[in-house]
């Protein structure tokens, strides 16, 4: 049984093909057009999706070694995301499925990130323990229930995953997402976009204790990152008054201190959630889960608090169609198909309920 999966929620156009839940191909076209603006420009994103979607789908089908007539279903990201971007993927999926006379499966983008740990590849290339030391999803997938820290450019959530379809958001950001805060601070420092990988690289050479930035005091499991962003900006302004080249002189220490602050904020709430729920299987997902500091903090917590941790492969941290495909596969098994008139949705309801 072959599924074509399509992801187009933000600025990556991605298509994947799975056979019986095993990933055969995963092709992603990223959009460099946003770099000069320091952030994603929605209208440019949807235009780029329009240009990319046909070649990306074509490449995914070819790399899987099949023809489109072999497909049994089309899974697509229905939301949340940028409406113009989503509409390209949703409309393409509808037309493609209709023309082949096969069912469609709508996938919640966030559920896709959370279930990325279940992606299996056709090639048994990965060892039980990767060079980074984390347990490999290929051999060791989480069992339900598990907690997932979902951290991306648009979301920062602690999710209790009861089953493939039943997920509960225990806490989430009340303002900016962690990735958004990193990207904005990187922009303030005059670094490129997206800031996450740049800050990550610089942070490895810096002192995480060099500078202190404000940490929020929010009740429960919710997060807040807007205060940190402001504190970062105001501190920089003051320091630049005394030394106009302050950023250049201290960029590694600034990046390391910023990264440490964000990781500390994320892990503090996660520790609370683990303590209160008693669930010690803890996963991380989303673009920010590529961050070395966060990955190290997970490994440290695994040792210190005896958590069983799940860290995705780098290629499945940022937006990709493989995660949409595996989520679509589980829905296919449940015969949970979408009707042709299902609209895209830009925002998520609190309990991840799509209907
Ligand atoms: O999941 P994703 O690809 O898109 C959304 O759905 O938002 O996440 C993108 C975010 C960006 O904010 C980017 O800066 C961040 O993930 N990111 C990182 C790293 N790689 C990507 N943040 C920190 N360290 C990284 N290595």
């Amino acid at each position: 049984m072959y599924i074509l999966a399509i992801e187009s929620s933000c600025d990556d156009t991605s298509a994947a093909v799975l056979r019986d839940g095993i990933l055969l191909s995963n092709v992603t076209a990223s959009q460099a057009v946003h770099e000069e603006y320091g952030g994603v420009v929605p209208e440019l994103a949807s235009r780029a999706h329009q240009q990319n979607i046909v070649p990306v789908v074509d490449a995914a089908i070819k790399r899987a070694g099949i023809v489109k007539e072999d497909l049994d279903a089309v899974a697509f990201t229905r939301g949340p995301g940028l409406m113009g971007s989503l509409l390209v993927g949703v409309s393409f999926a509808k037309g493609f499925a209709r023309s082949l006379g096969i069912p469609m499966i709508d996938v919640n983008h966030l559920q896709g990130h959370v279930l990325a740990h279940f992606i299996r590849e056709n090639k048994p290339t990965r060892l039980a323990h990767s060079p980074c030391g984390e347990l490999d999803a290929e051999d060791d997938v989480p069992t339900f229930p598990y907690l997932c820290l979902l951290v991306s450019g648009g979301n920062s959530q602690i999710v209790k995953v009861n089953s493939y379809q039943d997920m509960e958001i225990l806490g989430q950001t009340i303002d900016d997402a962690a990735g958004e805060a990193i990207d904005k601070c990187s922009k303030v420092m005059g670094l490129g976009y997206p800031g996450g990988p740049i800050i990550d690289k610089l942070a490895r050479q810096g002192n995480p204790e060099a500078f202190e930035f404000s940490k929020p005091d929010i009740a429960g499991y919710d997060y807040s990152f807007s205060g940190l962003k402001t504190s970062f900006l105001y501190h920089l302004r003051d320091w630049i008054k005394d030394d106009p080249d302050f950023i250049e002189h201290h960029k590694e220490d600034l990046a390391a201190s910023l990264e440490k602050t964000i990781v500390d904020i994320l892990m503090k709430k996660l520790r609370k959630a683990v303590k209160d729920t008693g669930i010690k299987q803890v996963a991380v997902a989303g673009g920010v889960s590529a961050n070395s500091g966060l990955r190290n903090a997970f490994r440290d917590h695994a040792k210190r608090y005896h958590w069983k941790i799940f860290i995705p492969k780098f290629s499945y941290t940022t937006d990709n169609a493989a995660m949409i495909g595996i989520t679509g596969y589980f829905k296919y098994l449940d015969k949970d198909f979408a009707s042709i008139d299902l609209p895209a949705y830009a925002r998520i309801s609190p309990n991840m309920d799509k209907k």
Side-chain angles (χ1 to χ4, degrees), residues 109 113 152-154 179-180 182-183 194-197 200 286-288 290-291 317-319:
H109 177 80
H113 273 303
S152 67
E180 196 179 348
I182 296 175
D183 291 342
D200 191 348
V288 182
N291 183 265
T317 55
T318 46
D319 292 347

Side-chain angles (χ1 to χ4, degrees), residues 7 9-12 80 109-110 113 150-155 177-183 193-201 204 259 285-293 314 317-320 323:
E7 154 64 32
S9 65
C10 190
D11 60 341
D12 292 300
H109 177 80
L110 300 181
H113 273 303
L150 172 53
V151 267
S152 67
N155 295 278
E180 196 179 348
I182 296 175
D183 291 342
Y193 175 85
I198 304 167
I199 294 285
D200 191 348
K201 206 168 160 202
R204 278 177 235 165
E259 184 182 279
V288 182
S289 69
N291 183 265
S292 331
F314 279 109
T317 55
T318 46
D319 292 347
N320 65 87
M323 67 185 196

Side-chain angles (χ1 to χ4, degrees), residues 114-271:
V114 169
L115 297 179
H117 299 277
F118 294 89
I119 297 169
R120 284 163 180 266
E121 296 172 352
N122 60 339
K123 288 173 282 169
T125 48
R126 291 185 281 158
L127 302 170
H129 292 270
S130 77
C132 308
E134 63 251 22
L135 289 168
D136 195 304
E138 188 94 41
D139 305 297
D140 196 359
V141 293
T143 52
F144 302 114
Y146 67 93
L147 295 181
C148 183
L149 176 68
L150 172 53
V151 267
S152 67
N155 295 278
S156 298
Q157 302 176 332
I158 298 177
V159 183
K160 182 169 170 255
V161 190
N162 298 318
S163 74
Y164 298 122
Q165 289 284 39
D166 178 13
M167 301 183 191
E168 219 178 304
I169 298 174
L170 300 183
Q172 60 189 326
T173 183
I174 56 166
D175 41 55
D176 290 348
E180 196 179 348
I182 296 175
D183 291 342
K184 284 182 179 160
C185 291
S186 153
K187 193 174 174 184
V188 166
M189 284 173 71
L191 306 171
Y193 175 85
I198 304 167
I199 294 285
D200 191 348
K201 206 168 160 202
L202 287 171
R204 278 177 235 165
Q205 295 141 37
N207 173 10
E209 310 290 345
F211 304 107
E212 209 173 308
F213 302 109
S214 78
K215 288 184 186 162
D217 188 14
I218 310 280
Y221 307 111
D222 283 342
Y223 289 116
S224 166
F225 290 100
S226 68
L228 165 63
K229 204 180 61 188
T230 314
S231 143
F232 189 82
L233 177 69
Y234 287 179
H235 273 94
L236 269 189
R237 272 190 196 162
D238 291 345
W239 293 326
I240 287 171
K241 272 186 206 151
D242 298 331
D243 173 8
D245 295 324
F246 186 86
I247 295 176
E248 191 48 40
H249 293 151
H250 298 279
K251 60 179 189 283
E252 291 85 1
D253 287 349
L254 284 167
S257 304
L258 173 69
E259 184 182 279
K260 182 181 184 301
T261 310
I262 289 178
V263 170
D264 284 353
I265 295 170
L266 290 171
M267 296 311 286
K268 188 177 172 191
K269 291 292 170 93
L270 195 55
R271 279 196 303 277

